[in-house]
Amino acid sequence: MYLVDANVLLELLYKRDRWRECYDFLNKVKAGIVKSYILHFTLHGISAILGDPKLVSNFLSEIATWRGLVVVDLPIDEEILASELANSVGLDFDDGLQYYYAKKAKLQIVSFDSDFDKTDVKRIEPRNVKTS
């Protein structure tokens, strides 16, 4: 199972260079073919980037229908642990949250962010996600 990083969704939303592989992966999550998790923090971050309340509403309404996606809320005590862990492995706070939860739940991180490569949690790019 996988933890989806914000950059995968942003790649698609802004139709950056690798948006098609993100589209393929996220459609599998949407259909329930691939089970994945995303931090509520990540959805808040993307919503803040989108800014416009109508865009945010459309985005969150769409995400809420995805059969293979579980949204994870971390309590503040776990965010404190995540920030301490992030500091110990050289990650910033948001990457530290991803790292903490992926490690805790034994998930691979789907991301383009190579900062995760210096950790003991496996990072995988959307095109390499297996559906079996």
Side-chain angles (χ1 to χ4, degrees):
M1 288 187 282
Y2 306 99
L3 180 66
V4 181
D5 194 13
N7 59 43
V8 174
L9 288 154
L10 292 169
E11 188 80 13
L12 174 60
L13 289 170
Y14 289 106
K15 288 204 172 179
R16 295 178 180 155
D17 292 341
R18 298 176 70 182
W19 73 270
R20 286 189 193 277
E21 77 178 86
C22 297
Y23 177 83
D24 292 341
F25 163 68
L26 293 170
N27 266 334
K28 291 173 187 166
V29 174
K30 181 179 179 176
I33 296 166
V34 173
K35 176 126 184 194
S36 295
Y37 296 80
I38 193 164
L39 297 180
H40 205 166
F41 176 89
T42 302
L43 294 178
H44 282 287
I46 294 169
S47 296
I49 291 167
L50 292 173
D52 180 329
K54 182 114 174 111
L55 287 175
V56 171
S57 178
N58 290 341
F59 169 68
L60 295 175
S61 295
E62 171 65 23
I63 291 289
T65 68
W66 292 11
R67 292 190 304 231
L69 190 66
V70 175
V71 178
V72 176
D73 285 304
L74 289 178
I76 199 159
D77 59 324
E78 288 192 59
E79 288 189 4
I80 293 167
L81 290 172
S83 65
E84 292 167 354
L85 186 60
N87 187 53
S88 72
V89 296
L91 295 173
D92 62 17
F93 178 68
D94 61 323
D95 287 348
L97 286 175
Q98 306 292 333
Y99 172 68
Y100 169 82
Y101 190 74
K103 188 171 178 69
K104 175 184 171 185
K106 298 180 171 72
L107 303 172
Q108 295 178 49
I109 299 173
V110 181
S111 179
F112 295 113
D113 188 344
S114 62
D115 288 344
F116 293 114
D117 296 342
K118 62 186 174 188
T119 72
D120 58 340
V121 171
K122 182 175 171 73
R123 177 184 68 92
I124 188 168
E125 294 186 355
R127 68 175 174 227
N128 297 322
V129 170
K130 304 292 183 219
T131 58
S132 55

